[in-house]
Structures are given as structure tokens and as C-alpha cells.
Amino acid sequence: MSIKVAFIAADNDSARRARRRLMRRYPSTTPEEAEIIIALGGDGLMLQTLHRFVSQQKAIYGMNRGSLGFLTNSYAEEGLLERIAKAERTEIRPLRMQALTRDGNGHRALAFNDVYLLRETFQTAKLRISIDGIVRMSELICDGVLVATPVGSTAYNLSAHGPILPINSPLLALTPISAFRPRRWRGAILPQQAKVRIEVIEPDKRPVSAVADHTEFRDVMQVDVEQDTEVSVTMLFDPGHNLADRVLAEQFFY
């Protein structure tokens, strides 16, 4: 089987040992030359890998050698190349965040899971939310708010009591984090083409950070979020254990 694969590992003993064993067992190349990246770790490594190879048209096949493995397959050394050949492909697109900070600088980042704003101090955040140029929430007093992709809807979004989105649905979740006023607002489900603008009210008194997956910018004044339609990454999952099935199963977990 002439699939060019490369093994990368998380920074833990279990992942590093697995990488050494697999490299002895299967022919491999460098990540730059590979068609498929085999990521050994948990969901944290998977997110890092998606960001690292987002512009290189490589498929990502994860095997769980970390603490969480929602985005990975189960770990097994037998028949690895055969598993990859039979794997189901899921194409995912990230969110694009543009943030303006109080110093006047602009910042950009991608997020495969979510973009969220979070208060920096004991003061609650005051936020104004616009969708496609129309103000839909003139003042939200809260710890923060997040925009999640279907992939990210089972992560921080779910912990904040946001909706789980089917993986192939053309939707985004907009979810408040510990909303104080209006207390009963539970968020919104948006079409994937929606353009979300979040403005910070009283940024001097109530500083707010913005995070896109693992990239953080502090003291933001305004954040724009929309799906990036120009880039995508392909993830590979074993048959019967694809990402759509996992997201569906999460809705019946109690």
C-alpha cells in the first residue's frame, strides 16, 4: 500500500512510545512529504494538527494517546494502513476571527472549535451582538459569549449549555457564558454564512479577551466572526465511528 504517512505525537510518554513503535513497524516520511498525518494524542493535539496543516491539503487521522479523544480513533497498531484506506472522510471548515484591541491593532486567527469572548476581571462583561449588520442584542451582561462550529458544539459550547449541532449541518451556535442579563437568553442557532460582530461596551472598565481555539488576544474592543469558505481540512475516521455518529451519540449521553 503506497500511502505516504507521517507520525506526530503529543508531548507525553504514551504518545512518544506509540510513535516509536509505529515508525518501526510502518514506512513513514516527513510531515512535509506525507499525504496523511497520523496524530498520536488527544483532542488538543488534533486541534494543533488541524491548524498546522490547514493550508497543505493533507488528511488527518488521529489515534487516541491523550486524555480526551473525541476527535480521534481508537489506538491499535495492527492493520493501520488498511484502517486508513477504509476510513471515512469528513471535511471541516474553520471560523475566521478578526479582533480589534484597545491599542488599535487588528488580529486574525482561525478556529475549528469555537471563538469565545471572556471577561478578564471580577467585572462582568457588557457586550453588543450584531448579526449580518443588524443589532440583535443591544446589551448582554455575562461572563462571555461564544460562537461554535458543529465540531466545537460538543466542547466548550456544550458545557455552556449550548446546542449540539449535527456535524454536516450548515449551522453555527451562538451561546452565552453565564448570562446575567437577559438571564433567560439561551443563545441562538445561526446559518453558517452569518457574520457575527461582538462589541465590548465599557472596555476600559470591563476588559474582555477573545480566544480562537488556542490563540488569545486580550483587551479586545470588537470581534468579527464568520466561517472561512476558502480553507478546509479533511479528517479520517474508522467506519462506524465517524464524527457525525459521535456528535449524534453525544445528544443521548446522560
Side-chain angles (χ1 to χ4, degrees):
M1 195 171 297
S2 59
I3 302 175
K4 292 183 179 181
V5 303
F7 297 98
I8 62 174
D11 188 21
N12 66 61
D13 290 340
S14 176
R16 287 191 291 265
R17 287 196 299 268
R19 181 174 183 269
R20 289 193 293 268
R21 289 195 300 268
L22 290 167
M23 289 184 70
R24 288 195 295 266
R25 187 164 187 167
Y26 297 100
S28 62
T29 185
T30 64
E32 292 72 25
E33 296 294 328
E35 302 167 78
I36 295 173
I37 305 297
I38 301 175
L40 305 167
D43 288 346
L45 178 72
M46 284 298 292
L47 281 176
Q48 293 173 23
T49 304
L50 293 175
H51 281 274
R52 178 179 173 184
F53 297 103
V54 65
S55 61
Q56 299 185 36
Q57 302 298 311
K58 299 178 188 294
I60 313 298
Y61 182 88
M63 287 202 291
N64 190 15
R65 291 285 87 183
S67 56
L68 294 175
F70 188 82
L71 299 177
T72 65
N73 299 283
S74 60
Y75 180 79
E77 296 179 15
E78 297 288 337
L80 176 58
L81 299 184
E82 288 76 11
R83 288 174 67 185
I84 291 174
K86 296 177 181 178
E88 299 177 2
R89 305 172 75 89
T90 298
E91 185 178 277
I92 60 172
R93 295 186 181 277
L95 299 173
R96 180 172 66 245
M97 178 185 80
Q98 299 186 66
L100 177 66
T101 50
R102 286 168 56 196
D103 59 11
N105 290 322
H107 308 271
R108 295 187 177 189
L110 296 179
F112 288 95
N113 263 359
D114 47 45
V115 170
Y116 62 88
L117 280 71
L118 199 63
R119 64 176 181 167
E120 295 179 4
T121 69
F122 64 92
Q123 292 273 21
T124 56
K126 281 189 178 182
L127 307 173
R128 180 183 299 113
I129 301 174
S130 301
I131 309 297
D132 296 328
I134 300 174
V135 175
R136 297 295 186 180
M137 181 73 66
S138 59
E139 185 177 273
L140 173 64
I141 303 175
C142 57
D143 281 354
V145 68
L146 65 84
V147 182
T149 66
V151 172
S153 69
T154 58
Y156 193 3
N157 175 72
L158 181 58
S159 297
H161 306 291
I164 295 176
L165 304 176
I167 193 64
N168 294 316
S169 63
L171 302 170
L172 302 174
L174 175 65
T175 302
I177 303 169
S178 301
F180 181 67
R181 290 287 188 276
R183 196 183 298 266
R184 294 183 181 178
W185 187 61
R186 293 292 180 262
I189 296 175
L190 307 175
Q192 65 181 8
Q193 68 269 23
K195 294 177 172 57
V196 181
R197 170 167 289 183
I198 304 166
E199 298 169 271
V200 179
I201 304 171
E202 301 178 10
D204 295 335
K205 181 180 178 182
R206 303 169 185 272
V208 170
S209 290
V211 180
D213 283 352
H214 49 254
T215 302
E216 179 180 13
F217 302 108
R218 297 182 70 81
D219 300 330
V220 298
M221 296 181 64
Q222 177 179 295
V223 174
D224 291 301
V225 183
E226 62 181 299
Q227 188 179 69
D228 194 321
T229 60
E230 297 180 358
V231 298
S232 65
V233 178
T234 299
M235 301 178 68
L236 302 177
F237 293 93
D238 293 332
H241 299 279
N242 62 41
L243 199 54
D245 292 334
R246 296 180 189 202
V247 169
L248 183 62
E250 281 290 318
Q251 298 181 72
F252 296 90
F253 181 80
Y254 58 91

